Amino acid sequence: MGSSKRGDIAVLVVDDEPSILQLFTASLDGEYRVITAESGEEALELLDDTIDVVLLDRRMPKLSGSQVLEQLRKRGYDVPVAMLTAVKPGVDIVDLGFDDYLEKPVSVTDVRDCVERLASLGRYDDVVREYYALASKVSALEAQHSTSELRDESQYLELLDRLDAIKEDAGSSLKEMPDASLDQLLNERTISSE
Amino acid sequence: MKRLNDLLALSPAKFAIGYLVFGVVWITLSDRVVATMVESEAMVTQLQTLKGWLFVGLSASFIFALASVRERQIDLWRNRLETATEELQVLHRIFRHNISNDMMVIRGYVELVHGELSNGHKEHLEVAIQKSDRIIDMSEKLKVIESTDLETSIETSVDLCRIIEDECADLEWEHAGVSIDLDIPEFAKVRGDNILSYVVREAIENSIHHFDREIWECDIDVSVQKRIDETVVRISDNGPGIPENELIAYRQGDEQQTTHTSGVGLWLIKWLCGICGGAVDIASDEGTVVTLRFQPATPLENVAPAVTTEQVPQTP
C-alpha cells in the first residue's frame, strides 16, 4: 500500500488529553512523522508548511478546535484537517473548513485510515477534495441525527444539493481515487454509526 | 411564625379535624358567652352577625396561610428536584465522557499490541477488544440522556408515523436483508419530540441484533393503532425472544441486573417513553413483542393532517 516515502509525511495531532496524544503517536509513529500539541495555541505555533495532515480535537479549553481551524485557514494554510471530537455534530459543521470528521471514540485503525486518506488527498485536485469534505460532513450529520431531525434543516439539504452537484462535476477526477473510494467511505461511516 | 408554620404543615386530615373542633368549640362557646353577657335581643343578633363575620375572616386567613405555605413547600421541592436532575445530568456527562475517553485509549493500546502478536496469542486480546467495544457501545447509547430535554418532551407533539417510516427506511438500508412490514395510518400525532425516533430505532434494532438465524429470515412487523385515549405502537419479531432473567430485571426496574447492552437499551426505551408521558410493555414468547403507548397530542377528531413524506422542503 501507499508510497514508500510515508516517513516524510508530517502529522500534527492536537488534543488537550495527553493520553490520547500518546496513543495516536504510538499508532502513527514509524509510518509518519508525528508532532503533538496539547493546546490550540501550541498547535498554531507549531504549524508551518512542512505539516501535511492535522488531526484536531474540537473541544479544548481556551482556543477550541473550530477556532484553531479558522485561524489556520485565515493564515492561508490549506493542509487537510480532520476534526476529532466527542461532540455530537450540529448543522454548524457545514460552515467549518475541515476535510474529515472523526467521532470519538475512534479505533487505531480508523485513525490510521483517516490519516492515509487525508495524506493522499493532497495529490488530487480541489474538486475531489471538496467532494470529500462535503461527504464527510453529510455522513457525520447522518451518523448522529435521525432522518426526521435532518429533513427540516435547510443547511443539511443545501449540503446534499452541493454534494450532488459536485459529484457530477468531479466525475472524471473521482475515477482516479485510490482504493478507499469516497462512496465506500460514505457507506462505511453510515453503517458503523448504528 | 414557626409555630404557625408547624400548625399549617399538619396532614390534611389532622388539619380538617382541628378546624372542625375549633369551629364547634367557637360556635358553642361564643354563643354561650353572648347569651350570658347581653340581654337585648337586637344586640344579640348584632353580635351574632359580627361573630359570623369574624369567623369567616379568620377562616379566610387560615386558608390563605395554608395555601401559601403549601405553595412555598412545592416550590422548594421543585427547585430541589430541578437542581438534582441538572446535577445528575452533569455528573452523568462527565462520568460518561471520561469512560469513553479512557476506553478509547485502552482499546487503542490493545489494538496496537494485537497487531504485533502472533496468531496464537491474539485470541485473548480479541476478548479484551470485544469487551471494550461493549462498554463503549453502552456509553454511546447513554449519550441520549444528555441531549434529552425533560420539559419540551412533554409539551410538544410529533407525528409518530413519520418517525416510524423514516427510521424503518434507515434501518432496512443499514441492515440489508431485514424486512420490516408497516401497518400504520397516514399520521398519528402524539406527545413527545424527536427523541421518540430513538425509542423506535432502539426497539427495532434490538430485534435485529438479537436475531439468531440468517439475517434475511428476520421479519419485523410494526403497527400503529390510534385509540381515543392513546396511540399504540406494536413491534413484533420472529427472533429468539428476550431471556427471562433480563425481562424480570427490566420489569422490576432493577438496573443493577441490566448489565447487557440490550438491557441498557430496554431501560432507555422505558425512560424516554416515560418522560414523554408514554409507557412500554415487553412480552417474549415466540419472538419479542414491544408495545409502546403514547398520549395523543389532541383528541382524535381534532388532529390536523400531518405533513406527508413527499413534502420535504427543497432548497434551490
Side-chain angles (χ1 to χ4, degrees):
Chain A
M1 305 226 283
S3 71
S4 56
K5 285 194 171 181
R6 269 208 201 154
D8 299 341
I9 295 174
V11 182
L12 174 63
V13 189
V14 192
D15 200 310
D16 59 317
E17 179 64 45
S19 63
I20 287 180
L21 286 181
Q22 283 159 14
L23 173 67
F24 285 4
T25 309
S27 315
L28 300 168
D29 228 7
E31 292 200 66
Y32 303 94
R33 190 160 64 85
V34 184
I35 301 140
T36 59
E38 263 189 56
S39 68
E41 292 82 355
E42 201 186 337
L44 288 174
E45 270 172 41
L46 288 171
L47 193 81
D48 58 29
D49 288 327
T50 65
I51 305 286
D52 300 292
V53 174
V54 180
L55 296 183
L56 186 57
D57 184 29
R58 194 170 176 197
R59 187 181 275 178
M60 290 186 291
K62 290 203 267 181
L63 219 52
S64 76
S66 314
Q67 287 167 321
V68 174
L69 183 61
E70 205 184 305
Q71 284 285 322
L72 182 148
R73 294 290 184 237
K74 242 185 220 167
R75 293 185 192 183
Y77 292 107
D78 68 340
V79 52
V81 175
M83 274 291 197
L84 196 72
T85 174
V87 192
K88 188 173 166 178
V91 281
D92 58 318
I93 64 164
V94 171
D95 301 319
L96 292 178
F98 60 79
D99 297 85
D100 206 344
Y101 199 88
L102 278 187
E103 223 174 306
K104 284 182 188 171
V106 284
S107 69
V108 167
T109 320
D110 290 344
V111 175
R112 282 176 174 164
D113 288 351
C114 174
V115 172
E116 196 186 326
R117 286 193 304 258
L118 288 189
S120 67
L121 264 190
R123 295 206 295 270
Y124 295 92
D125 59 21
D126 289 349
V127 183
V128 172
R129 191 160 160 197
E130 198 186 338
Y131 178 76
Y132 184 93
L134 289 174
S136 298
K137 284 172 183 174
V138 169
S139 60
L141 285 174
E142 284 178 352
Q144 277 301 329
H145 302 272
S146 65
T147 316
S148 330
E149 282 174 294
L150 286 174
R151 65 169 9 134
D152 297 328
E153 292 288 352
S154 61
Q155 278 161 299
Y156 168 73
L157 297 168
E158 213 172 296
L159 196 62
L160 285 186
D161 287 344
R162 268 160 69 194
L163 187 65
D164 275 345
I166 204 162
K167 208 171 183 173
E168 284 167 26
D169 280 359
S172 55
S173 319
L174 288 172
K175 283 183 193 130
E176 301 161 18
M177 276 305 282
D179 36 14
S181 87
L182 292 171
D183 279 331
Q184 202 181 334
L185 162 85
L186 199 63
N187 289 342
E188 273 168 16
R189 278 167 143 274
T190 318
I191 288 170
S192 66
S193 69
E194 45 155 331
Chain B
M1 191 63 200
K2 190 181 177 299
R3 202 170 277 180
L4 181 69
N5 273 350
D6 284 348
L7 182 71
L8 292 171
L10 286 175
S11 76
K14 278 187 186 160
F15 196 89
I17 291 169
Y19 184 76
L20 190 73
V21 171
F22 170 76
V24 170
V25 171
W26 166 270
I27 290 167
T28 45
L29 217 68
S30 59
D31 278 357
R32 200 158 293 172
V33 170
V34 169
T36 49
M37 280 175 64
V38 196
E39 281 176 13
S40 122
E41 204 143 297
M43 195 73 165
V44 169
T45 320
Q46 253 180 2
L47 270 176
Q48 286 288 13
T49 314
L50 199 70
K51 209 158 63 69
W53 282 116
L54 191 66
F55 190 78
V56 169
L58 220 57
S59 302
S61 330
F62 257 115
I63 291 170
F64 174 74
L66 185 72
S68 336
V69 167
R70 292 281 145 120
E71 200 176 80
R72 236 179 313 169
Q73 278 175 338
I74 291 172
D75 277 351
L76 190 72
W77 281 108
R78 192 196 290 132
N79 283 341
R80 279 189 198 169
L81 208 62
E82 270 171 17
T83 318
T85 311
E86 270 168 34
E87 279 169 359
L88 216 59
Q89 271 184 323
V90 171
L91 182 71
H92 173 263
R93 186 167 57 235
I94 296 169
F95 187 62
R96 201 195 57 76
H97 181 78
N98 282 332
I99 286 189
S100 277
N101 240 352
D102 289 354
M103 278 318 296
M104 175 180 137
V105 174
I106 293 171
R107 193 198 183 283
Y109 280 114
V110 173
E111 211 183 326
L112 282 180
V113 178
H114 181 266
E116 284 162 17
L117 283 184
S118 58
N119 282 341
H121 295 93
K122 283 192 172 183
E123 276 173 35
H124 302 302
L125 290 188
E126 269 153 25
V127 177
I129 290 179
Q130 270 172 25
K131 294 289 173 190
S132 312
D133 283 343
R134 211 180 73 171
I135 297 179
I136 290 172
D137 190 37
M138 260 196 274
S139 169
E140 290 301 292
K141 276 191 182 187
L142 290 172
K143 225 182 204 172
V144 70
I145 294 180
E146 291 150 34
S147 54
T148 305
D149 189 336
L150 298 180
E151 291 203 349
T152 63
S153 308
I154 191 75
E155 286 162 5
T156 54
S157 66
V158 282
D159 180 6
L160 197 58
C161 292
R162 185 162 136 176
I163 284 180
I164 290 175
E165 278 168 6
D166 287 346
E167 289 305 325
C168 289
D170 279 359
L171 284 164
E172 274 190 318
W173 187 76
E174 283 168 28
H175 304 273
V178 174
S179 77
I180 305 176
D181 287 321
L182 297 185
D183 175 18
I184 60 175
E186 212 172 312
F187 59 87
K189 281 239 168 190
V190 297
R191 277 205 197 155
D193 56 15
N194 272 325
I195 211 82
L196 290 186
S197 58
Y198 182 92
V199 175
V200 171
R201 160 171 287 262
E202 188 61 39
I204 300 175
E205 245 177 10
N206 200 52
S207 291
I208 299 174
H209 285 162
H210 286 83
F211 197 71
D212 54 352
R213 302 193 299 274
E214 296 295 342
I215 195 70
W216 56 81
E217 288 177 46
C218 179
D219 291 323
I220 298 167
D221 291 302
V222 182
S223 69
V224 173
Q225 236 190 329
K226 286 199 276 192
R227 298 182 188 156
I228 302 289
D229 55 342
E230 61 180 8
T231 301
V232 183
V233 185
R234 193 172 176 279
I235 299 165
S236 58
D237 64 43
N238 59 344
I242 297 173
E244 190 59 24
N245 57 344
E246 223 174 274
L247 268 187
I248 291 171
Y250 164 79
R251 289 203 185 109
Q252 291 171 344
D254 184 357
E255 290 82 51
Q256 277 176 322
Q257 290 197 32
T258 53
T259 46
H260 297 277
T261 333
S262 63
V264 173
L266 293 182
W267 184 82
L268 277 175
I269 293 177
K270 187 176 168 183
W271 188 74
L272 291 172
C273 275
I275 61 171
C276 295
V280 190
D281 185 49
I282 300 176
S284 194
D285 187 15
E286 279 175 29
T288 305
V289 181
V290 178
T291 313
L292 309 167
R293 292 165 202 281
F294 298 104
Q295 296 178 8
T298 40
L300 271 184
E301 56 274 21
N302 294 335
V303 178
V307 183
T308 56
T309 29
E310 285 77 39
Q311 285 173 275
V312 181
Q314 292 290 331
T315 36

